Amino acid sequence: MLIWLAIPVFIVAVAAEFVYLKRHGKPYDYRDSATSIVAGLGYQLLNIPWALAELAIFASVSSLVPWHLEGWAAWAVALIGVDFAYYWFHRAHHEIRVFWSVHVVHHSSESFNLTTALRTPWLVVTSLPFLVPLALSGIDGRIIAASYAINLLYQFGIHTEVMDKLWAPVEFVFNTPSHHRVHHGSNTEYLDRNYGGVLIIWDRIFGTFEPEGKRAIYGLTKNVDTYNIAKINAREIVAIWQDVKNAEKPSDKLGYLFRGPGWQPQQTWATSSAGGLGT
């Protein structure tokens, strides 16, 4: 619901960024932005029934524990807990190919502007395993869902080249446009870095932080070369299916699913030929 309420803000922000970029002579790929917007609308429509199911699952899990958090404590734990869960959700979606086949949609844009934030995959269920443990803390599922929406709303604003690096203490603690430009870069030194949602401290703690240096080259290491969002959503899923079908050994079939993007038999966690770099 929060995402839907924010749509007017998205429209105004995208329009303002567009005007700024055009006035400063910056390139703008209209078809790429249109693809991202269609992807975002599709995600939101598909997410309506799933969000209701998710709330029911959260309620069921939270009923298993005899304690319940309420008030400011519930919100504080939920906001920080969701951000911690998002880090691992995001990291898993880069380092495990079956998850990457979903998340690759977000990284398929070769542009980096506010519309890129809207380029979300249509398979909406993969966040659940990472969020369910929060329900065991006794937090109302609606607070968990709202905290996740707030996390995604924050990330909308960091998909831009308009804003340079911020005040150093802010850059140290929070995810910023500078940090997220690194995350979307296909440069070798930028692959699989800066997974944080709101906070960048998780990346600093777990060794996945990379500061912005040279300009990022956006997109995948092997780009999709299409504006067809249905094809973009299906591309890596089809590739996995072909690899699993053609693999001879069961261990290789599992490897194509659960090892890193680009993994091949007798290799471990190779760099993805399709990206393997993420609101």
Side-chain angles (χ1 to χ4, degrees):
M1 178 60 73
L2 286 177
I3 303 294
W4 284 97
L5 292 174
I7 287 177
V9 177
F10 293 166
I11 294 171
V12 172
V14 167
E17 183 190 50
F18 170 76
V19 170
Y20 176 90
L21 293 173
K22 296 306 289 184
R23 284 185 175 178
H24 287 78
K26 304 292 185 180
Y28 198 92
D29 189 332
Y30 299 93
R31 293 183 67 186
D32 183 84
S33 289
T35 299
S36 296
I37 292 168
V38 170
L41 289 172
Y43 169 84
Q44 289 304 318
L45 291 172
L46 291 168
N47 194 51
I48 291 172
W50 174 244
L52 297 175
E54 198 172 54
L55 286 173
I57 293 169
F58 288 152
S60 178
V61 172
S62 64
S63 69
L64 299 175
V65 297
W67 56 83
H68 298 283
L69 288 180
E70 298 179 352
W72 68 265
W75 279 100
V77 172
L79 288 167
I80 295 173
V82 161
D83 199 61
F84 182 72
Y86 181 84
Y87 171 85
W88 290 106
F89 155 83
H90 199 180
R91 184 168 177 172
H93 280 64
H94 280 257
E95 298 181 354
I96 299 173
R97 191 181 179 196
V98 69
F99 285 142
W100 172 248
S101 68
V102 177
H103 188 60
V104 68
V105 175
H106 183 61
H107 283 271
S108 63
S109 175
E110 296 177 54
S111 300
F112 191 76
N113 55 54
L114 291 175
T115 65
T116 310
L118 307 178
R119 186 176 291 218
T120 40
W122 289 349
L123 188 59
V124 298
V125 303
T126 57
S127 61
L128 183 64
F130 300 89
L131 295 175
V132 159
L134 277 171
L136 292 173
S137 64
I139 301 173
D140 188 311
R142 291 170 295 182
I143 296 178
I144 296 173
S147 297
Y148 187 60
I150 291 168
N151 198 287
L152 297 180
L153 287 172
Y154 175 89
Q155 291 183 58
F156 171 76
I158 61 176
H159 288 80
T160 185
E161 291 191 299
V162 170
M163 195 178 300
D164 202 353
K165 290 186 178 183
L166 304 178
W167 186 40
V170 173
E171 293 281 338
F172 187 83
V173 176
F174 292 97
N175 198 6
T176 65
S178 174
H179 298 327
H180 208 58
R181 287 191 289 269
V182 168
H183 179 71
H184 274 261
S186 62
N187 317 50
T188 301
E189 66 271 32
Y190 289 169
L191 295 178
D192 301 320
R193 291 292 182 265
N194 298 0
Y195 296 121
V198 173
L199 302 175
I200 202 67
I201 57 173
W202 312 122
D203 290 280
R204 296 186 186 277
I205 292 170
F206 297 111
T208 53
F209 175 72
E210 182 69 30
E212 184 178 32
K214 65 182 181 182
R215 191 179 190 281
I217 301 170
Y218 303 115
L220 307 171
T221 56
K222 184 178 179 181
N223 286 308
V224 295
D225 297 325
T226 181
Y227 294 108
N228 186 316
I229 192 59
K231 290 182 178 179
I232 294 171
N233 271 273
R235 176 178 178 265
E236 185 67 9
I237 295 172
V238 171
I240 290 178
W241 166 249
Q242 292 293 334
D243 285 339
V244 170
K245 183 177 69 173
N246 294 329
E248 296 181 358
K249 297 191 296 185
S251 60
D252 291 344
K253 293 179 184 292
L254 291 173
Y256 280 124
L257 286 169
F258 299 111
R259 288 189 178 270
W263 176 87
Q264 295 294 322
Q266 299 181 341
Q267 296 178 0
T268 56
W269 298 93
T271 303
S272 171
S273 61
L277 296 168
T279 229

